[in-house]
Amino acid sequence: MSDTTSEPWVPEPAPRAPRFEERELPLCPACKGLARRDILALTNEGQQFGPWRCDLHGEVTPVWEYLEIPTGDDA
């Protein structure tokens, strides 16, 4: 005999996975920190950039790797 006074079973909602965007970023080959470039000039042809630099290692030739970046979308 079943218990008819209990409430019907309702499944719990699944936890939401965080949202990520995959981007290719320039990284320092020594420490894998983000490499940056300064804008040296703006011309009619476009922007002219300086060399890639790491905050710890100075001027570097970056390696490009795909990383998952959180998007911050909670919708």
Side-chain angles (χ1 to χ4, degrees), residues 10-11 14 17-18 22 25-26 30 32 41 45 56 58-59 64-65 67 72 74:
V10 178
E22 195 170 88
L25 297 173
K32 298 296 184 188
E45 290 80 36
L56 297 175
E59 193 171 321
W64 291 82
E65 293 186 14
L67 298 176
D74 291 330

Side-chain angles (χ1 to χ4, degrees), residues 31-44:
C31 67
K32 298 296 184 188
L34 188 61
R36 307 179 203 317
R37 293 175 89 178
D38 293 328
I39 298 174
L40 298 179
L42 298 175
T43 65
N44 289 338

Side-chain angles (χ1 to χ4, degrees), residues 27-36 51-62:
L27 303 179
C28 171
C31 67
K32 298 296 184 188
L34 188 61
R36 307 179 203 317
W52 288 100
R53 300 191 61 80
C54 170
D55 291 339
L56 297 175
H57 298 99
E59 193 171 321
V60 296
T61 300

